[in-house]
């Protein structure tokens, strides 16, 4: 029965100087099932070229090459892939096993490309391995086998799809004479089982065993002899249950498995790469949690000092520091009152602000450290400590702002918890001497500590609170008047509060409480910092992407041979692409995992450092940061994998196989 019919076949290779090189010229041959054909000829005579054409690795030729009614000339890639997968099995001189896969997985690879279920695959593979006497090596890697064993594995791989044609390009070229005999026996048995076996050989010993010897010289057939002494082996034809899954392709799971196997063989390289990406990913997570940490902190602080019936107002100034203490004149206060009243009126709010509703407050920042201080005595020793800040107790404060004690009265003061550092644990009821210089008016006064207050400013500096009336009386006693820096409008309901706050926040001239202003300042600062960090993290992600691209690109070059082998056993472009895309997907996942671990560790470290330095850690993790990290990492690595994987998929199988 004619299996292959070759008519007037020419194969020309284009050369650089525009002339073609004719590797095969006017080939006319018929092959039949059950034949064991030896193709002999000098090196360079065109043997491999002919094998590659018959094997469907190359369909660019002139003439006809018809296999079972299918003409291979200019056959589209898809049909050619299917032809290779189902009709032919390849055996190579250098075995071409995939080194990172076990013997079993190598043998199964053609079935994996057809998405055959695991059980059936393993059963078939074991049948073949047993038949070839190497079942006990199933779990080994190819590097742990001898040449003869490797070639048996390669033969098992070629047979697993139950192809009609076995093509063996110098299958015994790398084997010693004893192993050569054994492999030859196996190939002969395959032919006698009814398959067409075509093999290229240099050895006369080998060709003498074959049923037919074809000699090629300079791309032409010079002789075609049948061996009259050829005897079919007496062994009975072994019947395999035929399993063909022609329409199926490499599944996503199998592509992942192949990719994982390969990554595992290069664990260190891949881990280092993932670690590099992970550094960018974790710095991104930290940056995000720093941004939200600052915002959370500031929002908490601001909300701690909010009272629904009090609207703090201060004068806006270009300068952050001076805006913390800008004096209100009585004229400005009445302007403000008028503006607010007409706004309330416009909004149909039946409420009028009078002098009664306006409480005054005073904030003095003592940035030079000379304008305000306290003298306190410990065991008779008098010591001096400068005050960072002198406040009048804002009406927004309530009991929850007190750590201990009660709100101050005349001749009393409250401090933030820095006072514990000066006086020890027992501070309530102790006396200190306060010295304050307000715009040239010096006030000296002994006060009694009534409470310790939770301030919005952190506790590494000393802050003092006194009553506005008390401070005013002290200043008046020195023959001067106190001008307020802060105003508080006391409202009757929250609606009025919200209306007034809206007006103030939208105004050019006024702003809210000091806490609100601090919150704004921190918010601005944290968004600036976040943007700067985001840019840095972004740059490092680009660096990571280039790194992944380089590594994958190199991996494609290193695995040229493997790609050729996969194509020879029927892998489509898509399948090759999927394997590499899966690999970049896995790298993305691994990077994200390592990145999340790194970020958790550094999160812990930074929390400890911030807590010991500032007493709080402006860091908040959100669950979706991890989702973002995973998505971004996978996206970046898959993006970087696009070019290498498309390069891999476009490789010419013949060239890939020729590569040493
Ligand atoms: P053999 O297998 O008999 O040693 P080949 O079939 O590999 O020979 O090569 C036959 C001829 O075709 C050689 O002269 C070789 O240099 C040439 N050849 C093979 N591949 C190419 C190619 N891709 N481009 C140009 N010439 C090629
Ligand atoms: Mg060759």
């Amino acid at each position: 029965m004619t299996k292959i019919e070759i008519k007037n076949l020419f194969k020309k290779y284009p050369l650089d100087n525009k002339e073609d090189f004719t590797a095969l010229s006017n080939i006319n041959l018929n092959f039949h099932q059950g034949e064991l054909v030896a193709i002999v000829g000098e090196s360079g005579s065109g043997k491999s070229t002919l094998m590659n054409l018959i094997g469907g690795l190359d369909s660019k030729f002139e003439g006809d090459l018809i296999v079972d009614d299918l003409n291979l000339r200019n056959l589209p890639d898809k049909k050619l892939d299917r032809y290779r997968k189902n009709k032919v099995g390849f055996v190579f001189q250098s075995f071409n096993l995939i080194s990172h896969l076990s013997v079993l997985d190598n043998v199964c690879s053609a079935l994996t490309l057809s998405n055959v279920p695991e059980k059936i695959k393993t059963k078939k593979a074991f049948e073949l391995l047993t038949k070839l006497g190497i079942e006990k090596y199933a779990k080994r890697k190819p590097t742990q086998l001898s040449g003869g064993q490797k070639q048996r594995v390669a033969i098992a791989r070629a047979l697993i799809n139950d192809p009609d044609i076995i093509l063996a390009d110098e299958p015994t070229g790398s084997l010693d004479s004893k192993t050569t005999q054994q492999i030859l026996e196996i190939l002969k048995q395959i032919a006698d089982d009814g398959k067409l076996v075509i093999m290229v050989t240099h050895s006369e010993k080998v060709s003498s065993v074959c049923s037919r010897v074809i000699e090629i010289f300079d791309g032409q057939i010079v002789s075609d002899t049948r061996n009259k002494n050829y005897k079919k082996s007496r062994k009975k034809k072994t019947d395999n249950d035929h399993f063909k899954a022609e329409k199926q392709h490499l599944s996503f799971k199998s592509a992942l498995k192949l990719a994982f196997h390969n990554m595992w063989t290069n664990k260190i390289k891949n881990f280092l790469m993932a670690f590099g990406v992970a550094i960018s990913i974790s710095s991104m997570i930290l940056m995000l949690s720093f941004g939200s940490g600052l915002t959370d902190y500031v929002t908490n602080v601001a909300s701690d000092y909010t009272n629904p019936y009090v609207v703090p107002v201060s004068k806006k100034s270009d300068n952050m520091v001076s805006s913390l203490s800008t004096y209100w004149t009585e004229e400005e206060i009445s302007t403000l009152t008028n503006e607010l009243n007409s706004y309330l009126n416009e909004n149909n709010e039946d409420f009028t602000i009078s002098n009664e509703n306006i409480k005054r407050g005073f904030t003095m920042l003592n940035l030079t450290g000379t304008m305000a201080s306290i003298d306190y005595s410990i065991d008779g020793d008098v010591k001096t400590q400068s005050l960072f800040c002198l406040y009048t107790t804002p009406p927004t404060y309530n009991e929850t702002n007190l750590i201990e004690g009660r709100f101050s009265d005349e001749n009393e003061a409250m401090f933030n918890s820095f006072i514990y550092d000066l006086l020890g644990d027992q501070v309530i009821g102790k006396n200190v001497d306060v010295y304050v210089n307000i715009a040239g008016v010096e006030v000296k006064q002994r006060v009694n500590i009534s409470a310790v207050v939770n301030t919005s400013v952190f506790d590494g500096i000393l802050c003092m609170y006194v009553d506005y009336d008390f401070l005013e009386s002290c200043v008046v006693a020195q023959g001067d008047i106190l001008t307020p820096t802060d105003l508080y409008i006391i409202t009757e309901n929250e609606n009025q509060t919200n209306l007034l706050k809206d007006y103030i926040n939208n105004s050019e001239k006024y702003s809210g409480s000091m806490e609100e202003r601090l919150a704004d300042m921190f918010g601005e600062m944290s968004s600036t910092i976040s943007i700067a960090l985001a840019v840095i993290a972004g740059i490092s992600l680009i660096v990571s992407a280039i790194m992944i691209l380089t590594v994958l690109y190199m991996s494609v070059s290193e695995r040229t041979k493997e790609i050729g082998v996969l194509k020879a056993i029927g892998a489509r472009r898509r399948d090759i692409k999927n394997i590499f895309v899966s690999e970049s997907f896995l790298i993305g996942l691994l990077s994200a995992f390592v990145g999340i671990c790194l970020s958790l560790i550094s999160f812990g470290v930074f929390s400890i450092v911030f807590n010991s330095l500032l007493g709080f850690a402006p860091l908040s993790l959100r669950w979706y940061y991890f989702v973002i990290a995973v998505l971004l990492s996978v996206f970046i690595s898959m993006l970087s994998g696009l070019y290498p994987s498309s390069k891999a998929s476009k490789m010419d199988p013949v060239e890939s196989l020729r590569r040493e």
Side-chain angles (χ1 to χ4, degrees), residues 220-288:
Q220 286 178 309
I221 310 290
V222 290
S223 72
D224 183 353
T225 1
R226 281 171 211 268
N227 183 350
K228 291 185 192 81
N229 303 324
Y230 184 81
K231 280 201 194 75
K232 281 205 169 195
S233 56
R234 256 171 278 140
K235 268 192 217 160
K236 268 217 186 120
K237 184 175 162 69
T238 39
D239 230 8
N240 295 320
D241 45 341
H242 295 271
F243 185 91
K244 295 219 173 181
E246 300 180 18
K247 290 271 151 64
Q248 293 253 28
H249 300 299
L250 180 70
S251 68
F252 180 61
K253 195 179 133 207
S254 305
L256 270 181
K257 199 180 150 195
L258 278 171
F260 180 78
H261 266 289
N262 181 60
M263 282 180 68
W264 188 251
T265 26
N266 290 309
K267 323 185 236 314
I268 295 182
K269 180 179 90 180
N270 284 307
F271 183 78
L272 285 177
M273 176 170 63
F275 194 75
V277 183
I279 291 174
S280 321
I281 295 290
S282 61
S283 48
M284 191 201 70
I285 296 179
L286 271 186
M287 167 212 91
L288 288 171

Side-chain angles (χ1 to χ4, degrees), residues 5-281:
E5 194 180 353
I6 301 177
K7 285 191 289 198
N8 307 324
L9 183 145
F10 287 80
K11 170 68 195 176
K12 290 170 183 156
Y13 286 117
L15 290 183
D16 292 341
N17 52 12
K18 295 222 167 133
E19 269 177 56
D20 286 345
F21 171 77
T22 307
L24 290 174
S25 133
N26 198 25
I27 306 287
N28 288 283
L29 284 170
N30 285 327
F31 294 100
H32 309 279
Q33 296 214 280
E35 281 189 312
L36 179 63
V37 185
I39 296 183
V40 298
E42 282 174 14
S43 178
S45 54
K47 307 181 295 293
S48 295
T49 303
L50 181 61
M51 296 289 267
N52 291 339
L53 294 184
I54 297 174
L57 286 170
D58 180 2
S59 65
K60 285 167 197 65
F61 55 85
E62 292 151 42
D64 295 308
L65 199 170
I66 301 160
V67 183
D68 289 340
D69 304 328
L70 181 73
N71 198 334
L72 297 191
R73 173 165 39 85
N74 297 331
L75 204 63
D77 275 349
K78 270 190 187 166
K79 291 192 175 171
L80 219 52
D81 293 336
R82 194 175 315 157
Y83 166 77
R84 284 199 301 272
K85 184 147 80 180
N86 300 312
K87 283 280 158 98
V88 289
F90 285 91
V91 178
F92 306 92
Q93 174 178 358
S94 47
F95 323 120
N96 288 351
L97 298 174
I98 298 170
S99 57
H100 59 83
L101 295 182
S102 69
V103 164
L104 187 66
D105 286 335
N106 262 287
V107 173
C108 288
S109 48
L111 295 182
T112 305
L113 289 173
S114 302
N115 198 20
V116 173
E118 200 70 38
K119 259 192 182 167
I120 301 175
K121 270 196 316 203
T122 320
K123 184 172 164 269
K124 278 216 80 169
F126 264 102
E127 269 172 27
L128 281 168
L129 289 172
T130 312
K131 203 162 142 190
L132 297 170
I134 46 168
E135 74 279 10
K136 57 175 174 286
Y137 307 127
K139 289 265 170 294
R140 287 205 194 169
K141 288 281 160 72
T143 44
Q144 299 163 319
L145 299 179
S146 73
Q149 288 162 348
K150 281 187 205 166
Q151 201 58 299
R152 284 166 203 245
V153 177
I155 292 172
R157 179 178 64 187
L159 287 173
I160 190 113
N161 252 347
D162 200 24
D164 299 336
I165 306 162
I166 297 288
L167 299 171
D169 199 342
E170 303 193 38
T172 58
S174 305
L175 303 176
D176 59 48
S177 61
K178 189 173 154 229
T179 333
T180 296
Q181 276 306 316
Q182 293 168 347
I183 294 297
L184 213 51
E185 268 306 306
I186 293 168
L187 290 172
K188 183 169 185 305
Q189 184 63 48
I190 294 167
D192 294 344
D193 279 354
K195 295 192 191 299
L196 167 59
V197 179
I198 306 176
M199 88 177 118
V200 170
T201 182
H202 275 116
S203 151
E204 264 186 42
K205 233 182 182 170
V206 171
S207 59
S208 66
V209 179
C210 297
S211 71
R212 181 177 170 193
V213 181
I214 296 171
E215 193 184 342
I216 303 191
F217 182 78
D218 256 1
Q220 286 178 309
I221 310 290
V222 290
S223 72
D224 183 353
T225 1
R226 281 171 211 268
N227 183 350
K228 291 185 192 81
N229 303 324
Y230 184 81
K231 280 201 194 75
K232 281 205 169 195
S233 56
R234 256 171 278 140
K235 268 192 217 160
K236 268 217 186 120
K237 184 175 162 69
T238 39
D239 230 8
N240 295 320
D241 45 341
H242 295 271
F243 185 91
K244 295 219 173 181
E246 300 180 18
K247 290 271 151 64
Q248 293 253 28
H249 300 299
L250 180 70
S251 68
F252 180 61
K253 195 179 133 207
S254 305
L256 270 181
K257 199 180 150 195
L258 278 171
F260 180 78
H261 266 289
N262 181 60
M263 282 180 68
W264 188 251
T265 26
N266 290 309
K267 323 185 236 314
I268 295 182
K269 180 179 90 180
N270 284 307
F271 183 78
L272 285 177
M273 176 170 63
F275 194 75
V277 183
I279 291 174
S280 321
I281 295 290

Side-chain angles (χ1 to χ4, degrees), residues 344-515:
L344 287 169
N345 200 18
E346 276 167 37
N347 286 282
N348 307 318
E349 188 60 54
D350 186 20
F351 174 62
T352 311
I353 302 165
S354 65
N355 222 15
E356 312 257 290
N357 305 105
I358 302 180
K359 293 243 179 292
R360 284 135 217 260
F362 185 83
T363 304
M364 187 177 99
L365 283 184
N366 176 28
L367 298 177
T368 58
T370 58
M371 279 149 60
S373 62
I374 58 166
D375 288 343
Y376 60 98
S377 70
I378 290 224
D379 305 331
D381 266 359
V382 177
K383 296 183 175 175
T384 302
Q385 168 74 43
S386 63
L387 270 175
F388 173 72
C389 192
L390 169 73
Y391 296 101
T392 57
T393 314
T396 45
Y397 280 27
N398 58 39
E399 300 293 331
T400 59
N401 299 113
L402 297 183
I403 296 172
E404 60 170 329
R406 49 165 184 78
F407 279 105
S408 57
D409 225 329
E410 211 171 314
N411 293 323
E412 287 181 333
M414 309 189 290
F415 288 90
N416 68 336
S417 63
F418 189 79
I419 196 73
Y420 292 126
D421 294 354
L422 304 178
L423 298 179
D425 291 345
Q426 305 295 325
V427 296
I428 307 293
K430 286 196 175 164
N431 289 324
V432 295
D433 291 320
V434 178
Y435 159 83
V436 187
N437 182 333
I438 301 171
V441 181
E442 290 190 27
V443 175
K444 283 188 190 127
Q445 185 73 40
R446 171 157 294 195
V447 294
N448 190 266
I449 302 173
S450 78
V452 180
V453 183
N454 230 334
T455 56
S456 57
V457 181
F458 73 94
D459 294 328
I461 43 187
L462 184 64
C463 301
M464 185 178 85
Y465 291 81
V466 292
D467 256 17
Y468 188 81
D469 293 344
F470 171 52
L471 187 64
E472 192 176 33
S473 71
C474 293
V475 174
V476 168
Q478 299 300 315
D480 211 323
I481 51 159
L482 183 67
T483 33
T485 60
D486 307 291
L487 298 179
Y488 302 92
I489 297 159
I490 313 299
T491 63
E492 290 167 340
N493 61 45
E494 287 188 40
N495 189 37
Q496 295 162 0
T497 306
N498 293 338
L499 265 177
L500 293 177
K501 280 192 172 172
D502 275 354
Y503 182 81
I504 286 159
N505 288 335
N506 291 326
S507 129
E508 296 281 307
K509 287 190 287 181
Y510 312 119
S511 65
S513 71
M514 188 188 70
E515 282 80 16

